[in-house]
Amino acid sequence: MGKVHARIADELTLYVRQMAWLNAVPKPDPNSARGKSEAAHAKVSRLDALKQAKITPKMPPNPAPHIIDRLIEIGTTEAGGMGAVPISWREIVAWQEATWVRLAPWEARLLRRLSAAYLAESKLAESENRSAPWHTGPDQQSIETEQARLEAVLG
């Protein structure tokens, strides 16, 4: 893989990891008091929680949106015997045949790599203490939302 492809792959990997983190449903540490309480488990993804708080999630730069679109169309993961697994070569080939889109070999390898990164981050992001793979400084909307929450709690 050339330098340009490697840079694109690194940036897309970060983008996919951020997607996985946002789509994960965080759970408290099972050893904590909150984790032992069944009612404490969140039933909503981070993305849905941000939408409910009227916060637009920030995403890292995406240098190749068409590759992310293809990954989402194929599926970020697929079902395996014991849970989710990265997309298989068979799925990539089937997608190519169904859409009549021929991927370059480096693109096909990248899709598998992105799927594996998405899956790995999805598992790690189930911890409510897992920080986002990518973030910027707080924007004005986030600051105002947090201030409103604090004022509602503290009065």
Side-chain angles (χ1 to χ4, degrees):
M1 190 179 293
K3 288 182 182 180
V4 172
H5 289 154
R7 184 184 54 79
I8 289 171
D10 289 345
E11 290 180 26
L12 289 177
T13 300
L14 181 59
Y15 190 90
V16 164
R17 288 181 57 224
Q18 185 75 5
M19 278 177 33
W21 184 84
L22 285 168
N23 286 306
V25 176
K27 298 175 184 124
D29 181 0
N31 298 325
S32 70
R34 282 190 41 225
K36 292 177 182 174
S37 166
E38 190 65 35
H41 290 91
K43 304 276 193 261
V44 65
S45 70
R46 287 183 178 95
L47 181 61
D48 290 337
L50 288 171
K51 286 180 180 177
Q52 289 172 359
K54 301 198 183 328
I55 297 173
T56 304
K58 304 271 190 216
M59 291 296 288
N62 182 353
H66 67 285
I67 292 177
I68 297 298
D69 291 344
R70 290 173 180 171
L71 176 66
I72 292 169
E73 193 171 310
I74 295 169
T76 51
T77 61
E78 65 181 67
M82 299 294 283
V85 295
I87 56 174
S88 64
W89 290 112
R90 183 176 45 245
E91 283 296 314
I92 294 170
V93 169
W95 177 85
Q96 289 182 91
E97 289 175 0
T99 61
W100 291 32
V101 172
R102 182 73 182 140
L103 297 172
W106 74 270
E107 287 178 301
R109 287 190 300 274
L110 178 59
L111 286 171
R112 287 233 341 135
R113 190 169 132 194
L114 293 175
S115 177
Y118 183 93
L119 183 60
E121 187 63 40
S122 293
K123 297 295 183 195
L124 294 171
E126 288 179 355
S127 168
E128 70 179 354
N129 299 324
R130 175 82 172 171
S131 61
W134 181 86
H135 53 82
T136 61
D139 61 357
Q140 191 59 34
Q141 181 184 14
S142 299
I143 292 170
E144 290 171 2
T145 302
E146 285 302 314
Q147 284 178 338
R149 283 186 188 164
L150 281 173
E151 289 173 8
V153 170
L154 300 175

